[in-house]
Amino acid sequence: ILCMKINNNELYQLIAKLDWQLNMGAEAMVEEEHNNYFNMEKVKTKKGELSTSGISQEINNAYLQEDEKNKGKILQESFDKCLTLEDLKNCMLDFNGCDLKKTATQLVFSDGNPNSNVMVIGEAPGAEEDRQGKPFCGASGKLLDKMLASINLDRNTVYITNVIPWRPPGNRAPTENEISLMKPFLMKHIEIVSPKMLVAVGGSASKAILNIEGGILRYRGVWKEIRLSKSLVIPIISTLHPAYLLRAPNQKKLAWEDLKSIRSKLQELND
């Protein structure tokens, strides 16, 4: 039976029949060999064991795998239709695959100038971002503004977004699963904007885009490249998150080195 090819309708029917048998009190599978019910220790099976073993487990696994394939296919089809930022925003608003959406106040999509040469990517919204619907608000946002101003940039000359568009509860860091789930949206976001350079702010953003391991201090200040297509290759640098700098002001000197490198790279790209 397990080797048979079954479609989704048959899966539903088989699972429903198994559930019905369990609810009716079935405790053993019928076999050709005679069961000795006087020796109940050999044949008695708990409902939990029966429902998660044998055929039912194989059916559930097959269904889940098929479901994931369908989800991926549907998501890819949605991405293919996203030609503008408004298309992508609507696609994200319709996406219900991330549990963070259930606890957040609203989607935090972006801020700044989408025609800018510089795209700044943060980690996830905090409490203030969740209230205002814009990335980098509050104390960390004010510090980011000062950092940008130090190299003659502001929110009119950069474009800002996050890896995660919904606030994680308690302002915790995004999980690897959440980052993996939302990464395709981020990469599509970058593709649509097509900036001349990317600035990954903080560890989560750097890990999401560059697939790196370890702390941000090991990778900050180093220029790398990401290839989104044969014709779209974008330089990227990682730097320290303003929230981290507020907790560790002695590290601002490292951030200043990164900012000077960003300024030099931008001048080089504009020449």
Side-chain angles (χ1 to χ4, degrees):
I1 295 174
L2 297 182
C3 296
M4 293 171 59
K5 292 184 178 179
I6 49 181
N7 58 35
N8 282 347
N9 289 332
E10 290 173 329
L11 287 174
Y12 283 124
Q13 292 174 7
L14 287 169
I15 293 171
K17 289 177 181 179
L18 286 169
D19 287 339
W20 178 83
Q21 291 176 16
L22 290 170
N23 292 331
M24 293 299 293
E27 294 184 330
M29 298 178 66
V30 178
E31 302 176 10
E32 292 184 4
E33 183 178 304
H34 175 68
N35 287 323
N36 180 4
Y37 284 95
F38 290 102
N39 189 354
M40 294 302 293
E41 294 300 320
K42 293 183 179 180
V43 297
K44 193 168 184 179
T45 307
K46 294 179 181 179
K47 288 185 180 182
E49 294 173 349
L50 183 61
S51 63
T52 58
S53 63
I55 297 174
S56 62
Q57 184 63 39
E58 293 290 339
I59 292 171
N60 283 328
N61 287 343
Y63 170 71
L64 289 173
Q65 290 171 5
E66 185 66 27
D67 190 51
E68 287 302 317
K69 290 178 182 178
N70 288 336
K71 286 179 181 177
K73 183 179 179 181
I74 292 171
L75 193 58
Q76 187 58 52
E77 289 174 353
S78 298
F79 283 153
D80 292 341
K81 296 176 183 178
C82 291
L83 303 178
T84 67
L85 292 174
E86 191 65 24
D87 291 340
L88 180 62
K89 185 176 182 179
N90 289 332
C91 181
M92 294 171 76
L93 286 169
D94 292 338
F95 181 66
N96 296 314
C98 182
D99 288 340
L100 294 177
K101 182 179 180 180
K102 300 175 184 177
T103 56
T105 301
Q106 60 184 315
L107 176 83
V108 178
F109 187 70
S110 68
D111 191 26
N113 182 1
N115 296 315
S116 167
N117 291 326
V118 182
M119 186 171 182
V120 178
I121 301 172
E123 298 181 347
E128 194 60 34
E129 288 84 355
D130 189 43
R131 280 191 288 269
Q132 295 191 30
K134 294 194 303 182
F136 285 100
C137 300
S140 63
K142 290 178 181 178
L143 180 53
L144 177 65
D145 289 343
K146 290 180 180 179
M147 293 167 67
L148 293 173
S150 70
I151 54 172
N152 300 317
L153 295 174
D154 57 32
R155 294 190 184 229
N156 293 317
T157 54
V158 301
Y159 182 72
I160 307 172
T161 190
N162 283 316
V163 176
I164 305 294
W166 296 287
R167 178 198 178 196
N171 287 357
R172 64 165 173 76
T175 66
E176 289 186 7
N177 182 60
E178 290 162 351
I179 291 173
S180 176
L181 193 63
M182 300 310 299
K183 182 176 179 178
F185 291 94
L186 173 64
M187 303 313 287
K188 187 65 178 181
H189 205 153
I190 296 171
E191 181 184 335
I192 292 172
V193 175
S194 297
K196 286 188 177 181
M197 74 162 66
L198 294 170
V199 180
V201 181
S204 295
S206 302
K207 291 176 182 177
I209 303 170
L210 297 171
N211 298 318
I212 58 176
E213 297 292 336
I216 182 66
L217 291 173
R218 293 174 55 188
Y219 300 99
R220 52 139 296 274
V222 178
W223 285 99
K224 296 181 179 294
E225 289 184 339
I226 63 166
R227 181 180 293 274
L228 296 180
S229 66
K230 290 183 179 179
S231 59
L232 186 56
V233 180
I234 306 175
I236 177 172
I237 188 173
S238 299
T239 191
L240 303 175
H241 198 286
Y244 171 75
L245 295 174
L246 289 171
R247 298 191 303 269
N250 60 313
Q251 301 285 24
K252 288 183 179 180
K253 58 185 178 182
L254 297 178
W256 173 235
E257 294 299 321
D258 298 342
L259 289 167
K260 289 190 294 182
S261 182
I262 292 168
R263 181 175 59 190
S264 298
K265 175 66 77 171
L266 190 57
Q267 290 173 347
E268 174 189 323
L269 293 172
N270 287 333
D271 288 341

Short mmCIF file of all heavy atoms in Angstrom, two decimals, residues 20-66:
data_model
loop_
_atom_site.label_atom_id
_atom_site.label_comp_id
_atom_site.label_asym_id
_atom_site.label_seq_id
_atom_site.Cartn_x
_atom_site.Cartn_y
_atom_site.Cartn_z
N TRP A 20 -11.37 8.05 11.88
CA TRP A 20 -12.66 7.49 12.29
C TRP A 20 -12.49 6.20 13.06
O TRP A 20 -13.13 5.98 14.09
CB TRP A 20 -13.52 7.26 11.05
CG TRP A 20 -14.87 6.65 11.38
CD1 TRP A 20 -15.99 7.29 11.79
CD2 TRP A 20 -15.21 5.26 11.32
NE1 TRP A 20 -17.01 6.41 12.01
CE2 TRP A 20 -16.56 5.15 11.73
CE3 TRP A 20 -14.51 4.10 10.97
CZ2 TRP A 20 -17.23 3.92 11.78
CZ3 TRP A 20 -15.17 2.89 11.03
CH2 TRP A 20 -16.51 2.80 11.44
N GLN A 21 -11.59 5.32 12.59
CA GLN A 21 -11.35 4.06 13.27
C GLN A 21 -10.79 4.27 14.67
O GLN A 21 -11.17 3.58 15.61
CB GLN A 21 -10.39 3.20 12.44
CG GLN A 21 -11.01 2.69 11.13
CD GLN A 21 -10.01 1.92 10.28
OE1 GLN A 21 -8.97 1.52 10.79
NE2 GLN A 21 -10.33 1.74 9.01
N LEU A 22 -9.89 5.24 14.80
CA LEU A 22 -9.33 5.55 16.13
C LEU A 22 -10.41 6.06 17.07
O LEU A 22 -10.47 5.68 18.24
CB LEU A 22 -8.21 6.58 15.99
CG LEU A 22 -6.93 6.09 15.33
CD1 LEU A 22 -6.01 7.25 15.04
CD2 LEU A 22 -6.21 5.08 16.23
N ASN A 23 -11.27 6.96 16.54
CA ASN A 23 -12.35 7.49 17.38
C ASN A 23 -13.34 6.42 17.79
O ASN A 23 -13.99 6.54 18.84
CB ASN A 23 -13.08 8.61 16.63
CG ASN A 23 -12.21 9.84 16.45
OD1 ASN A 23 -11.33 10.09 17.27
ND2 ASN A 23 -12.44 10.60 15.38
N MET A 24 -13.48 5.39 16.97
CA MET A 24 -14.39 4.28 17.29
C MET A 24 -13.77 3.28 18.24
O MET A 24 -14.40 2.31 18.63
CB MET A 24 -14.82 3.57 15.99
CG MET A 24 -15.70 4.44 15.08
SD MET A 24 -17.24 4.94 15.85
CE MET A 24 -18.09 3.37 15.98
N GLY A 25 -12.51 3.48 18.60
CA GLY A 25 -11.88 2.62 19.60
C GLY A 25 -11.00 1.52 19.04
O GLY A 25 -10.65 0.58 19.76
N ALA A 26 -10.63 1.58 17.76
CA ALA A 26 -9.76 0.55 17.19
C ALA A 26 -8.43 0.53 17.92
O ALA A 26 -7.81 1.57 18.13
CB ALA A 26 -9.54 0.82 15.70
N GLU A 27 -7.97 -0.65 18.30
CA GLU A 27 -6.73 -0.77 19.07
C GLU A 27 -5.72 -1.69 18.41
O GLU A 27 -4.62 -1.85 18.90
CB GLU A 27 -7.03 -1.28 20.49
CG GLU A 27 -7.85 -0.29 21.31
CD GLU A 27 -8.04 -0.78 22.72
OE1 GLU A 27 -8.08 -2.03 22.89
OE2 GLU A 27 -8.14 0.02 23.65
N ALA A 28 -6.08 -2.34 17.33
CA ALA A 28 -5.15 -3.26 16.68
C ALA A 28 -5.47 -3.33 15.20
O ALA A 28 -6.61 -3.12 14.79
CB ALA A 28 -5.24 -4.66 17.30
N MET A 29 -4.44 -3.65 14.38
CA MET A 29 -4.65 -3.80 12.96
C MET A 29 -5.01 -5.26 12.66
O MET A 29 -4.50 -6.19 13.29
CB MET A 29 -3.37 -3.41 12.20
CG MET A 29 -2.98 -1.96 12.40
SD MET A 29 -1.45 -1.53 11.54
CE MET A 29 -1.99 -1.73 9.84
N VAL A 30 -5.89 -5.44 11.69
CA VAL A 30 -6.30 -6.80 11.33
C VAL A 30 -5.19 -7.46 10.53
O VAL A 30 -4.70 -6.90 9.56
CB VAL A 30 -7.61 -6.75 10.49
CG1 VAL A 30 -7.99 -8.17 10.07
CG2 VAL A 30 -8.72 -6.11 11.30
N GLU A 31 -4.82 -8.66 10.93
CA GLU A 31 -3.77 -9.41 10.24
C GLU A 31 -4.29 -10.78 9.86
O GLU A 31 -5.28 -11.27 10.42
CB GLU A 31 -2.55 -9.55 11.15
CG GLU A 31 -1.99 -8.22 11.62
CD GLU A 31 -0.85 -8.42 12.60
OE1 GLU A 31 -0.40 -9.57 12.75
OE2 GLU A 31 -0.42 -7.44 13.21
N GLU A 32 -3.62 -11.41 8.90
CA GLU A 32 -4.01 -12.77 8.53
C GLU A 32 -3.77 -13.72 9.68
O GLU A 32 -4.49 -14.67 9.89
CB GLU A 32 -3.20 -13.21 7.30
CG GLU A 32 -3.59 -12.45 6.04
CD GLU A 32 -2.85 -12.99 4.84
OE1 GLU A 32 -2.12 -13.98 4.99
OE2 GLU A 32 -3.01 -12.41 3.75
N GLU A 33 -2.71 -13.46 10.42
CA GLU A 33 -2.40 -14.31 11.57
C GLU A 33 -3.39 -14.05 12.69
O GLU A 33 -3.73 -12.90 12.98
CB GLU A 33 -0.98 -14.01 12.04
CG GLU A 33 -0.53 -14.89 13.19
CD GLU A 33 0.90 -14.57 13.59
OE1 GLU A 33 1.77 -14.63 12.73
OE2 GLU A 33 1.10 -14.24 14.76
N HIS A 34 -3.88 -15.11 13.34
CA HIS A 34 -4.87 -15.00 14.39
C HIS A 34 -4.28 -14.29 15.61
O HIS A 34 -3.18 -14.62 16.05
CB HIS A 34 -5.36 -16.40 14.79
CG HIS A 34 -6.31 -16.36 15.96
ND1 HIS A 34 -7.57 -15.81 15.85
CD2 HIS A 34 -6.16 -16.80 17.24
CE1 HIS A 34 -8.16 -15.92 17.03
NE2 HIS A 34 -7.33 -16.51 17.89
N ASN A 35 -4.99 -13.26 16.08
CA ASN A 35 -4.56 -12.57 17.29
C ASN A 35 -5.07 -13.28 18.53
O ASN A 35 -6.25 -13.63 18.61
CB ASN A 35 -5.09 -11.13 17.31
CG ASN A 35 -4.37 -10.25 16.32
OD1 ASN A 35 -3.17 -10.40 16.15
ND2 ASN A 35 -5.10 -9.36 15.67
N ASN A 36 -4.20 -13.48 19.47
CA ASN A 36 -4.58 -14.09 20.74
C ASN A 36 -4.97 -12.99 21.71
O ASN A 36 -4.13 -12.37 22.34
CB ASN A 36 -3.41 -14.91 21.30
CG ASN A 36 -3.78 -15.57 22.62
OD1 ASN A 36 -4.91 -15.47 23.08
ND2 ASN A 36 -2.81 -16.26 23.20
N TYR A 37 -6.28 -12.70 21.83
CA TYR A 37 -6.74 -11.61 22.66
C TYR A 37 -6.68 -11.93 24.14
O TYR A 37 -6.96 -11.07 24.98
CB TYR A 37 -8.17 -11.20 22.27
CG TYR A 37 -8.18 -10.43 20.99
CD1 TYR A 37 -8.40 -11.07 19.77
CD2 TYR A 37 -7.91 -9.06 20.98
CE1 TYR A 37 -8.39 -10.37 18.58
CE2 TYR A 37 -7.89 -8.35 19.79
CZ TYR A 37 -8.14 -9.01 18.60
OH TYR A 37 -8.11 -8.30 17.44
N PHE A 38 -6.33 -13.19 24.46
CA PHE A 38 -6.11 -13.52 25.86
C PHE A 38 -4.76 -12.99 26.32
O PHE A 38 -4.49 -12.87 27.50
CB PHE A 38 -6.20 -15.04 26.09
CG PHE A 38 -7.61 -15.56 25.93
CD1 PHE A 38 -7.98 -16.19 24.75
CD2 PHE A 38 -8.53 -15.38 26.95
CE1 PHE A 38 -9.28 -16.66 24.62
CE2 PHE A 38 -9.82 -15.86 26.80
CZ PHE A 38 -10.21 -16.49 25.64
N ASN A 39 -3.87 -12.74 25.34
CA ASN A 39 -2.56 -12.18 25.67
C ASN A 39 -2.52 -10.74 25.16
O ASN A 39 -1.94 -10.44 24.14
CB ASN A 39 -1.46 -13.01 25.01
CG ASN A 39 -0.08 -12.60 25.51
OD1 ASN A 39 0.06 -11.63 26.24
ND2 ASN A 39 0.93 -13.34 25.08
N MET A 40 -3.19 -9.83 25.87
CA MET A 40 -3.37 -8.47 25.40
C MET A 40 -2.08 -7.68 25.33
O MET A 40 -1.98 -6.71 24.60
CB MET A 40 -4.37 -7.74 26.32
CG MET A 40 -5.78 -8.33 26.25
SD MET A 40 -6.46 -8.30 24.59
CE MET A 40 -6.61 -6.55 24.35
N GLU A 41 -1.06 -8.08 26.07
CA GLU A 41 0.19 -7.32 26.07
C GLU A 41 0.84 -7.34 24.70
O GLU A 41 1.57 -6.42 24.33
CB GLU A 41 1.17 -7.90 27.11
CG GLU A 41 0.71 -7.74 28.54
CD GLU A 41 0.51 -6.28 28.92
OE1 GLU A 41 1.36 -5.46 28.48
OE2 GLU A 41 -0.46 -5.95 29.60
N LYS A 42 0.57 -8.43 23.91
CA LYS A 42 1.22 -8.56 22.62
C LYS A 42 0.53 -7.75 21.53
O LYS A 42 1.14 -7.42 20.54
CB LYS A 42 1.26 -10.03 22.19
CG LYS A 42 2.15 -10.88 23.07
CD LYS A 42 2.19 -12.30 22.54
CE LYS A 42 3.10 -13.18 23.40
NZ LYS A 42 3.13 -14.55 22.88
N VAL A 43 -0.77 -7.47 21.72
CA VAL A 43 -1.52 -6.87 20.62
C VAL A 43 -2.07 -5.50 20.91
O VAL A 43 -2.44 -4.77 20.02
CB VAL A 43 -2.70 -7.79 20.21
CG1 VAL A 43 -2.19 -9.12 19.72
CG2 VAL A 43 -3.67 -7.96 21.37
N LYS A 44 -2.14 -5.11 22.17
CA LYS A 44 -2.75 -3.82 22.51
C LYS A 44 -1.83 -2.68 22.11
O LYS A 44 -0.66 -2.70 22.41
CB LYS A 44 -3.07 -3.77 24.00
CG LYS A 44 -3.99 -2.60 24.35
CD LYS A 44 -4.51 -2.73 25.77
CE LYS A 44 -5.49 -1.62 26.07
NZ LYS A 44 -6.04 -1.73 27.42
N THR A 45 -2.39 -1.69 21.45
CA THR A 45 -1.63 -0.54 20.99
C THR A 45 -2.33 0.73 21.41
O THR A 45 -3.54 0.84 21.28
CB THR A 45 -1.52 -0.56 19.45
OG1 THR A 45 -1.03 -1.82 19.04
CG2 THR A 45 -0.62 0.55 18.96
N LYS A 46 -1.57 1.68 21.90
CA LYS A 46 -2.14 2.97 22.28
C LYS A 46 -2.58 3.74 21.04
O LYS A 46 -1.98 3.65 19.99
CB LYS A 46 -1.11 3.80 23.05
CG LYS A 46 -0.73 3.20 24.38
CD LYS A 46 0.30 4.10 25.06
CE LYS A 46 0.71 3.49 26.41
NZ LYS A 46 1.73 4.33 27.06
N LYS A 47 -3.61 4.56 21.21
CA LYS A 47 -4.11 5.34 20.08
C LYS A 47 -3.03 6.25 19.50
O LYS A 47 -2.90 6.40 18.31
CB LYS A 47 -5.31 6.19 20.51
CG LYS A 47 -6.57 5.41 20.76
CD LYS A 47 -7.71 6.35 21.06
CE LYS A 47 -9.00 5.58 21.31
NZ LYS A 47 -10.13 6.49 21.56
N GLY A 48 -2.25 6.87 20.36
CA GLY A 48 -1.21 7.78 19.90
C GLY A 48 -0.19 7.06 19.04
O GLY A 48 0.29 7.59 18.04
N GLU A 49 0.13 5.80 19.43
CA GLU A 49 1.10 5.03 18.65
C GLU A 49 0.52 4.63 17.30
O GLU A 49 1.19 4.67 16.29
CB GLU A 49 1.53 3.80 19.43
CG GLU A 49 2.31 4.12 20.69
CD GLU A 49 2.58 2.89 21.52
OE1 GLU A 49 2.00 1.83 21.23
OE2 GLU A 49 3.36 2.99 22.47
N LEU A 50 -0.76 4.26 17.30
CA LEU A 50 -1.39 3.83 16.06
C LEU A 50 -1.52 4.99 15.08
O LEU A 50 -1.28 4.85 13.89
CB LEU A 50 -2.77 3.24 16.36
CG LEU A 50 -3.55 2.67 15.16
CD1 LEU A 50 -2.77 1.54 14.52
CD2 LEU A 50 -4.93 2.22 15.58
N SER A 51 -1.85 6.18 15.60
CA SER A 51 -2.08 7.32 14.72
C SER A 51 -0.79 7.89 14.14
O SER A 51 -0.83 8.58 13.14
CB SER A 51 -2.82 8.42 15.47
OG SER A 51 -2.01 8.90 16.53
N THR A 52 0.33 7.60 14.76
CA THR A 52 1.58 8.17 14.26
C THR A 52 2.52 7.11 13.73
O THR A 52 3.70 7.34 13.60
CB THR A 52 2.30 8.95 15.38
OG1 THR A 52 2.54 8.06 16.47
CG2 THR A 52 1.45 10.13 15.85
N SER A 53 2.01 5.95 13.42
CA SER A 53 2.86 4.88 12.93
C SER A 53 2.32 4.34 11.61
O SER A 53 1.21 4.64 11.20
CB SER A 53 2.93 3.74 13.96
OG SER A 53 1.65 3.17 14.14
N GLY A 54 3.16 3.51 10.97
CA GLY A 54 2.71 2.77 9.80
C GLY A 54 2.20 3.65 8.68
O GLY A 54 2.77 4.66 8.33
N ILE A 55 1.05 3.20 8.14
CA ILE A 55 0.50 3.83 6.94
C ILE A 55 0.16 5.30 7.18
O ILE A 55 0.45 6.15 6.36
CB ILE A 55 -0.76 3.07 6.48
CG1 ILE A 55 -0.37 1.64 6.11
CG2 ILE A 55 -1.43 3.77 5.32
CD1 ILE A 55 -1.55 0.76 5.78
N SER A 56 -0.47 5.61 8.31
CA SER A 56 -0.90 6.98 8.54
C SER A 56 0.27 7.95 8.55
O SER A 56 0.18 9.07 8.05
CB SER A 56 -1.67 7.09 9.86
OG SER A 56 -0.84 6.73 10.94
N GLN A 57 1.40 7.51 9.12
CA GLN A 57 2.57 8.39 9.15
C GLN A 57 3.10 8.63 7.74
O GLN A 57 3.47 9.74 7.38
CB GLN A 57 3.67 7.78 10.02
CG GLN A 57 4.90 8.66 10.18
CD GLN A 57 4.58 9.97 10.89
OE1 GLN A 57 3.80 9.98 11.82
NE2 GLN A 57 5.15 11.06 10.40
N GLU A 58 3.14 7.58 6.93
CA GLU A 58 3.61 7.72 5.56
C GLU A 58 2.70 8.66 4.76
O GLU A 58 3.15 9.48 3.98
CB GLU A 58 3.65 6.34 4.87
CG GLU A 58 4.69 5.40 5.44
CD GLU A 58 6.10 5.85 5.10
OE1 GLU A 58 6.26 6.59 4.12
OE2 GLU A 58 7.03 5.45 5.80
N ILE A 59 1.38 8.53 5.00
CA ILE A 59 0.42 9.37 4.29
C ILE A 59 0.60 10.83 4.70
O ILE A 59 0.63 11.73 3.87
CB ILE A 59 -1.02 8.91 4.58
CG1 ILE A 59 -1.25 7.53 3.94
CG2 ILE A 59 -2.04 9.91 4.06
CD1 ILE A 59 -2.55 6.89 4.32
N ASN A 60 0.73 11.07 6.00
CA ASN A 60 0.91 12.44 6.49
C ASN A 60 2.19 13.05 5.92
O ASN A 60 2.20 14.22 5.52
CB ASN A 60 0.97 12.45 8.02
CG ASN A 60 -0.41 12.31 8.64
OD1 ASN A 60 -1.40 12.75 8.07
ND2 ASN A 60 -0.48 11.67 9.78
N ASN A 61 3.26 12.27 5.88
CA ASN A 61 4.53 12.78 5.35
C ASN A 61 4.39 13.14 3.88
O ASN A 61 4.86 14.18 3.42
CB ASN A 61 5.64 11.75 5.52
CG ASN A 61 6.08 11.63 6.97
OD1 ASN A 61 5.80 12.50 7.79
ND2 ASN A 61 6.76 10.54 7.30
N ALA A 62 3.74 12.24 3.13
CA ALA A 62 3.55 12.48 1.70
C ALA A 62 2.71 13.73 1.48
O ALA A 62 2.99 14.55 0.60
CB ALA A 62 2.87 11.27 1.06
N TYR A 63 1.67 13.91 2.31
CA TYR A 63 0.81 15.08 2.16
C TYR A 63 1.56 16.36 2.47
O TYR A 63 1.46 17.35 1.74
CB TYR A 63 -0.40 14.94 3.09
CG TYR A 63 -1.22 16.21 3.16
CD1 TYR A 63 -1.99 16.63 2.08
CD2 TYR A 63 -1.17 17.01 4.30
CE1 TYR A 63 -2.71 17.81 2.13
CE2 TYR A 63 -1.89 18.19 4.37
CZ TYR A 63 -2.66 18.57 3.28
OH TYR A 63 -3.35 19.74 3.34
N LEU A 64 2.34 16.34 3.54
CA LEU A 64 3.08 17.54 3.94
C LEU A 64 4.10 17.93 2.88
O LEU A 64 4.28 19.11 2.57
CB LEU A 64 3.77 17.31 5.29
CG LEU A 64 2.83 17.25 6.50
CD1 LEU A 64 3.62 16.85 7.73
CD2 LEU A 64 2.12 18.57 6.72
N GLN A 65 4.80 16.93 2.31
CA GLN A 65 5.78 17.22 1.27
C GLN A 65 5.11 17.82 0.05
O GLN A 65 5.60 18.79 -0.53
CB GLN A 65 6.52 15.94 0.89
CG GLN A 65 7.46 15.44 2.00
CD GLN A 65 8.00 14.06 1.69
OE1 GLN A 65 7.77 13.52 0.63
NE2 GLN A 65 8.72 13.50 2.64
N GLU A 66 3.97 17.27 -0.32
CA GLU A 66 3.23 17.79 -1.47
C GLU A 66 2.75 19.21 -1.19
O GLU A 66 2.80 20.07 -2.05
CB GLU A 66 2.03 16.87 -1.76
CG GLU A 66 1.25 17.25 -3.01
CD GLU A 66 2.06 17.06 -4.27
OE1 GLU A 66 2.97 16.21 -4.26
OE2 GLU A 66 1.78 17.76 -5.26
#
